Amino acid sequence: MRIVQVVNGLPPEYLGGTETYAAALVRELARRGHAVSVFARRENARQPEHAVETTTVANVEISRINNTRREATTFADSYQNDTIAARFGALLDRFKPDIVHFQHLVYLSTTCVREATRRHIPVVMTLHDYWLICQRGRFLKPDLSVCPGQTDSGCAQCFHHLLDTRMSALYRWLKPFLGQQSRLREQARRWYGKRVVSQSVSFAAQQQIQARMSHIRALCASVSLFLAPSRFLREQFVAFGIPPEKILFHECGLQTDAIQPAPKALVPRKNRDKRPLIFGYIGVVDPVKGVHLLVEAFQTLPAELRIYGGEAAYAPYPDEKGFRSRLANSPRIRCMGRYEQHELSRILAEVDVVIVPSIWYENAPLVIREAFLAHTPVITADFGGMREWVRDGVNGLLFQPRNIDDLRQKMNRFITEPDLVARLSQAFPAVRSIAADAALLEQHYRRLLH
């Protein structure tokens, strides 16, 4: 088959779960003999906007389109871009695929789907988060409180700075001065996060949200098949209106042979060396991942915490100063920095317990199943898709979301019960390999073609 995969970015520039999975999948599809082309976004201020650069790596054609969003002036520009869609349409005309599989459209254009359907090409879409029905992607408000669900007025509050004419003009004027990591930017975002939850929104602002949601519903109607990596996420999109038979639960595969079981998990800690217990956080260091809650919960524990990953900035930390102070002043917290995917097996062998403390309805974090491959138990928040993988008291522990005391209590159990790591390292579920994933996708693709 001739297959086009569409994703918002690729390693090494982007190392999130979606990008890592997409990169592994296209390599496996190519290995299985398919002709694969990738359409992805990159961000380079020194290149012309919307310039496309095409290379071939390991028999996979990769086209990267530059989108810095510097030409975006309206709310609609934040999710649809006809220039990007036209570039994508040109790729379809040249490559002539049998199937188009969208992994993510953020920073690309929703109208890329229309380019495929108007050429009568079946469309598959994997839902890695909630971006279609929540433009922030995570059902989190700017102040990091949990959104109860999509409403036009609620969305208008979240994007007040782009929908209100006075705010949007000020935002466009300030944007060049804010930069990526400036103090002014953090102060502006913190001020906005506090202000937006109390603001009334205009009818015109709600109309722009209504226009987006109508556009999204039309997009969903034209997709041939949706794949949801968690049952929780599937339920949210069924509630949104996608017919249940059109959206399947589909576990994303991993490169299972790249991670080996850690032998330390099989031996009770009391029978090993006298080193302290090591907790590990592995992933993007970001407020939505709950890293600040983990650092606060860990403060009084006689153990070691290692934080692996580069920093991002989805939103400001609620207490930036306190978070940085705890990181800097705790002798038992080690910030290990950014890591490469090939280092993951070694990292998992170094830690006794992996902690996934996210404050949003995570879909299906890859790190949980990666920990299972290494026979490493997991502590995670008891909501969203995370609870689907971790069975409390079987292969890990669940804590009440955002509850620092409960997280500390669960961590302390591993310290006070020396055999707990070994006890929770005996019953991990099978993890789907990327090869098995590709084989199942082939079945879906062929069914749609026939």
Side-chain angles (χ1 to χ4, degrees), residues 99-117:
I99 289 282
V100 175
H101 189 157
F102 291 94
Q103 299 291 342
H104 216 306
L105 283 168
V106 66
Y107 303 134
L108 290 169
S109 176
T110 50
T111 48
C112 288
V113 175
R114 188 167 60 205
E115 294 296 319
T117 57

Side-chain angles (χ1 to χ4, degrees), residues 73-75 142 156-175 178 188-189 191-197 199-202 205 208:
T73 59
T74 69
F75 177 66
Q157 281 187 321
C158 270
F159 287 91
H160 192 253
H161 62 300
L162 293 178
L163 299 171
D164 182 274
T165 55
R166 293 166 299 175
M167 284 287 290
S168 59
L170 177 63
Y171 173 76
R172 288 197 298 272
W173 182 80
L174 282 174
K175 190 175 180 181
L178 298 181
R189 294 172 78 187
W191 169 82
Y192 180 72
K194 292 178 180 179
R195 180 178 186 271
V196 69
V197 294
Q199 291 298 300
S200 60
V201 295
S202 67
Q208 293 180 66

